Amino acid sequence: MIQLSTLPADLRLDRSRHAAPQVFEKLRDLIVSMELQPGAPLARAELAEAFGLSQTPIRDALSQLRDEGLVDIYPQHTTAVSRIDIAAARQAHFLRRSLELEIVRMLAERDDPALIDRLQAHIDVQQANRGAEHHPAFMAADQAFHQEMHLAAGVGALWELEQRYSGHVDRLRRLHLPEAGKVDRILRDHQRIVDAIAQQDVAGAQAALREHLSGTLSQITEICERYPDYVRVE
């Protein structure tokens, strides 16, 4: 079972919001960041104590995580963080690539200096947080960069849709990112995307995006061999 000492110290909730969505968000972050690794048991009683809640919102949050495929619930037995489902990761990647190729096409057909400034600001934040000790801030800026493009294209709601399917592929990226050179590659890819959009180069922007999104999925076999206990291949 999870030991309370292994959970982050700050599990405080905003009492002006419903508890279950917040528990879901915090547990999802822990799972996607791999702080809670595949196979980790999730005991409702301990989680309720850690969050200072009854078991009802904990159960609701775990049910939502199950719906995203991030936990496995075995009635009358146990609940555990799921293994990374490779098939689900491939489908989430297909969805994101399809949407973002269209998004960068739309953006590259415009002359929007303010958007370029906003995208560049996210890259600058990533550059300032490229060290391993700043990994969470780097990843947050990475997400903000892609979300910014969705918002600029007027499809912000689709970003939320993608996030609901992204848990498995995001966990693969966490396993892949720490390897030498991956952070630098992400920065280079983002800069190429922004430069192409700024030049209104549709083909260049789409080519840069394809290369950017291919990184983790091209290493599936290697990741599975390195982390066999973390993945599920069917």
Side-chain angles (χ1 to χ4, degrees), residues 5-26:
S5 60
T6 67
L7 289 171
D10 186 8
L11 292 177
R12 290 173 297 180
L13 303 179
D14 180 351
R15 299 301 175 181
S16 67
R17 296 176 55 203
H18 290 299
Q22 295 182 75
V23 174
F24 164 76
E25 291 163 5
K26 290 179 180 294

Side-chain angles (χ1 to χ4, degrees), residues 15-63:
R15 299 301 175 181
S16 67
R17 296 176 55 203
H18 290 299
Q22 295 182 75
V23 174
F24 164 76
E25 291 163 5
K26 290 179 180 294
L27 290 179
R28 190 184 192 281
D29 286 345
L30 291 171
I31 291 170
V32 170
S33 69
M34 298 295 288
E35 291 181 64
L36 284 174
Q37 298 177 350
L42 300 168
R44 281 190 298 182
E46 289 202 19
L47 289 171
E49 183 177 350
F51 282 101
L53 298 169
S54 70
Q55 290 192 31
T56 298
I58 303 298
R59 183 189 63 238
D60 293 344
L62 292 175
S63 294

Side-chain angles (χ1 to χ4, degrees), residues 84 86 89-90 93 169 171-182 185 210-228 231 233:
I84 300 170
I86 299 301
R90 291 187 186 278
H93 177 263
V169 72
R171 289 193 288 170
L172 282 177
R173 290 194 179 100
R174 292 300 176 114
L175 294 176
H176 185 228
L177 183 61
E179 297 179 12
K182 297 301 184 295
R185 175 181 170 173
R210 283 193 190 93
E211 184 174 344
H212 175 54
L213 293 182
S214 71
T216 297
L217 271 292
S218 68
Q219 302 296 317
I220 284 287
T221 299
E222 179 183 341
I223 294 171
C224 291
E225 290 175 350
R226 184 174 298 183
Y227 302 99
V231 301
V233 182

Side-chain angles (χ1 to χ4, degrees), residues 36-42 70 72 78-83 171 229-230:
L36 284 174
Q37 298 177 350
L42 300 168
L70 295 179
D72 295 321
T78 188
T79 297
V81 177
S82 69
R83 289 190 176 197
R171 289 193 288 170
D229 293 336
Y230 286 177

Side-chain angles (χ1 to χ4, degrees), residues 155-214:
V155 292
L158 293 182
W159 172 258
E160 303 302 326
L161 172 67
E162 288 179 59
Q163 295 310 292
R164 290 202 294 273
Y165 291 95
S166 71
H168 293 288
V169 72
D170 285 345
R171 289 193 288 170
L172 282 177
R173 290 194 179 100
R174 292 300 176 114
L175 294 176
H176 185 228
L177 183 61
E179 297 179 12
K182 297 301 184 295
V183 166
D184 289 339
R185 175 181 170 173
I186 289 171
L187 286 166
R188 287 194 301 269
D189 289 349
H190 281 185
Q191 194 64 62
R192 286 180 59 211
I193 293 168
V194 171
D195 290 346
I197 291 173
Q199 294 163 14
Q200 295 183 271
D201 177 2
V202 172
Q206 290 184 321
L209 179 72
R210 283 193 190 93
E211 184 174 344
H212 175 54
L213 293 182
S214 71

